[in-house]
Amino acid sequence: MQQSPLLKEFCEMFSRLRVYQISDQNLKIMTMNQLLDSFEDNELRTVLTKEVFDELYEIVTCKKLSMKNLILLLKHMGYCKALRGLRISGFKKSALSNCFSELIENDEKNGKIKLDLCECYCLLYDYGVGYVPHKICVPCPMKVAINKEESEKAQKDVEDALLALSSIGHFVV
């Protein structure tokens, strides 16, 4: 199968994620996110695979990618997936999903990082959410969704939280 120029560019950037300097990663990920927006459904499916999520897990655990940049990429992947209504099980089967589940379950803090982890988990995990993450992943974005602050940043956070919550169909006990 012939890769489109956009998919080829994304794959090249993805394969180089571990060699980019941390300072350059943010800019590269922003470019990758723009490419994701331009993908056809089949191209997006090519990117949202277990292998890609496992590779991201490896890159993060080797400290070649910051958690902030990982979340920036994953939230956008999940956002694109959710807006197109795609059902993809790549994240659910990945080591990254297990890592996120443990981080969500064991993190005592209830800050921005936990909210970001919950949103990524909800947007990317298909066919229900496991019980423990579910009991945390629903209240966390729910607190943001009921925010009545009217700033543009707060409204964007509310929209992200609502999209994450809308991605949860049911949960598995």
Side-chain angles (χ1 to χ4, degrees):
M1 181 173 150
Q2 183 93 14
Q3 282 188 347
S4 75
L6 295 176
L7 183 57
K8 197 176 259 185
E9 183 179 354
F10 181 91
C11 291
E12 174 64 27
M13 292 179 85
F14 182 82
S15 68
R16 298 189 45 77
L17 260 183
R18 68 173 68 234
V19 297
Y20 292 136
Q21 297 296 318
I22 298 287
S23 57
D24 295 332
Q25 284 179 354
N26 190 278
L27 182 60
K28 300 295 184 184
I29 288 174
M30 295 298 278
T31 302
M32 291 170 73
N33 285 346
Q34 289 174 337
L35 291 170
L36 286 168
D37 289 336
S38 304
F39 283 175
E40 300 290 328
D41 288 357
N42 62 333
E43 293 170 318
L44 193 55
R45 281 188 176 91
T46 302
V47 172
L48 299 176
T49 63
K50 177 186 181 301
E51 293 75 25
V52 167
F53 294 120
D54 284 341
E55 178 72 15
L56 285 170
Y57 174 74
E58 185 180 314
I59 295 170
V60 166
T61 49
C62 294
K63 303 204 183 312
K64 301 287 185 181
L65 180 67
S66 71
M67 185 62 93
K68 179 182 175 185
N69 284 332
L70 173 68
I71 287 172
L72 184 64
L73 179 60
L74 290 177
K75 275 180 113 173
H76 201 77
M77 286 175 155
Y79 179 79
C80 290
K81 176 188 152 301
L83 285 181
R84 294 168 188 225
L86 299 178
R87 304 296 285 179
I88 300 166
S89 61
F91 180 74
K92 179 180 181 177
K93 298 174 182 177
S94 71
L96 190 60
S97 172
N98 295 333
C99 175
F100 273 33
S101 181
E102 288 176 23
L103 287 171
I104 290 166
E105 183 179 350
N106 297 323
D107 188 6
E108 298 300 319
K109 299 176 209 112
N110 198 8
K112 177 72 172 136
I113 188 78
K114 188 169 194 164
L115 172 64
D116 288 337
L117 289 171
C118 287
E119 287 178 355
C120 288
Y121 192 85
C122 291
L123 288 169
L124 292 168
Y125 196 99
D126 261 343
Y127 310 110
V129 175
Y131 178 71
V132 173
H134 185 273
K135 72 181 185 181
I136 298 167
C137 285
V138 171
C140 201
M142 188 67 81
K143 288 177 189 171
V144 174
I146 60 174
N147 184 357
K148 295 196 181 355
E149 189 179 326
E150 294 188 17
S151 73
E152 192 172 312
K153 168 77 171 108
Q155 289 305 306
K156 174 70 173 123
D157 290 345
V158 167
E159 290 171 12
D160 289 347
L162 289 172
L163 182 61
L165 289 168
S166 73
S167 297
I168 302 173
H170 63 282
F171 66 94
V172 179
V173 179

